[in-house]
Amino acid sequence: MSAQLNAPQREAIRYLDGPLLVLAGAGSGKTRVITQKIAYLIQECGFKPSNIAAITFTNKAAKEMQERVGKLLEGTSTSGLTISTFHSLGVRILREEAKALGYKPKFSIFDSTDCYGIVSDLAGSVDKGTIRKLQSVISNWKNALVSPDMAEKQAQDDTEALAARAYRNYAATLRAYQAVDFDDLIMLPVELFEKHPEICEKWQNRLRYILVDEYQDTNACQYKLLKLLSGVRAQFTAVGDDDQAIYGWRGADIENLRGLPRDYPNLKVVKLEQNYRSTVRILKAANALIANNEKLFEKKLWSDLGMGDTISVTTCKEPEHEAESVVMKLQAHKFEHRTHFRDYAILYRSNHQARIFEQYLRNQKVPYLLSGGQSFFDKSEIKDITSYLRLLANSDDDPAFIRAVTTPKRGVGGSTLEALGTYAGERHISLFAAAFEEGFAHRVASRQLEPLLEFCEFINRFEWRANKEPAGQVLPDLLAAIGYEAWLYDHEDPRPAETKWGNVQELAKWLTRKGEEDEKTLIDLAQTIALINLLDKGESDYDGVQLSTLHAAKGLEYKHVFLVGIEEGLLPHRESQDPVKLEEERRLMYVGITRAQRSLHVTHCEKRPQGKEWSACEPSRFIDEMGKEDLRFSGGAASKVEPDKASSSAKLAAMKALLSSAK
């Protein structure tokens, strides 16, 4: 183990005398420290795998960690080891302890679309902006552990009082549906542990050592969960970097880093400052920039990977020119250095900046991948099928019931559903349960009742099978029984129908494979489906330029990085001018710079279209803050110094000729 680790990494792995904070700078090998520490705990310290939990923020990070630990512990059983996201751990706790909170173990997990529908009904509004704002206010309350009662007491004005009432009704509606939303997956375990010390103790004894990745991204609720789980023993390792805290807008609280030394006076801090990713010049620029922020902990990244290329800063006339210049430079660089397209990333602050780069990449036939696009599980056809699966897992899941019974339509009309909804509301039961009640049968005509009961019995039959048979047997029969393929082709043009049916088949294949690998029934899979955001499509093997927002690029690295649109108003964002938000924007720029391994190119425009007008743009203050000596400026004022305009256009012509001959 020790051969490939530096001294601070070794110290972080071996320290077990109490709570530990590992300050891991960008590219300093934090995943290696977490995975090697898990191996060390199991192999050298006699911990059982089932007593260890490593908590990450994304499924992707959890998967990568699992694979690495598997390799390190080849030949040793890792059965029972928990490597999961905060939310997956929350689900596990809640499924096991549902009874203590008054839930059934088969409760549903609602995604933001389901919740949007509920909030929209409660607010009596169809204005998307209002509903999203309400959703985000409720989410922030939950993440800050504010109950509906507290929210009502704290309300400062009518708007907040209205939001607090909506929050109370929203919480009551979810409970009536036997459902939870994503925020509940952390908030409810905290509530559970605080109300039931004996349950808390049971989990403390089960998870005796806890490792948390990306600790700077935790919110108040996640911090509380960690404190409750680790208890007085406080056997945990938190790994984080205050310089990469970029999720304040999502409720992440950098105070959790500041609070650790206060809550744990015997906290040990180990700093990882050697960077294994970037050249000296890139790190110098990153260090110079971030030195402008107030520091929680002093640290300075260093690297022994050589000086590397100077960082290029290019002034472009306007966005078209910026996109053309970046794509040209990227192609020329690839041709000259014989690299792959996947070695390059174009990173920007906001999604809307991507469109023009996509256009130029397509024109030049350059393959690319766009991250942060629509997730597989957000596609309507996938939601249609998963609504059936959710209903099989929990017949009280009302939004799933409504979607399934109307897609494809099964002779159950709007007026029938309305009568059913009214009756279910009066009786405080689910739509599914209401359909079977005598009282409801008296309210509708038998021609309305028949197709409804037929649908419910159909679901009951499949639920019985889905609990017993392998997913691979039940799924094709379910798809055939609902006639989804024929319905798609009836409702869509042939091309979109084909694409959508292809996605449904991909979902079926993936669920079948997952059922076999994890030995899970369709019901088990249906319960976890809301937690999975993206199918693993092995995109890392695809040879394409990566287009991504800076937020989505965190944790990733690329040999050559283009940071585009680095202007005042874009980065820092025009709505982030107060000191706290400005520091977060600076950290975002820092994250962008430290994604680059070999070369870094920064571009900004002199003007951008705003409505029908053009508005002048200032280069971002962050460019100045990177220091001058490792930056090379071109375009704009810098190019006016060039005595010979002809030579630069000759260079451009030569480059174009070179590229066309390379095709």
Side-chain angles (χ1 to χ4, degrees), residues 109-125:
I109 302 165
F110 280 10
D111 65 18
S112 62
T113 319
D114 300 321
C115 300
Y116 179 94
I118 296 171
V119 174
S120 166
D121 289 347
L122 292 173
S125 167

Side-chain angles (χ1 to χ4, degrees), residues 8 39 97 106 240 325 372 423 482 506 615 645 653:
E97 312 297 348
K106 279 187 181 180
S325 141
Y423 179 81
I482 53 185
E506 191 173 333
S615 71
K645 263 284 162 61

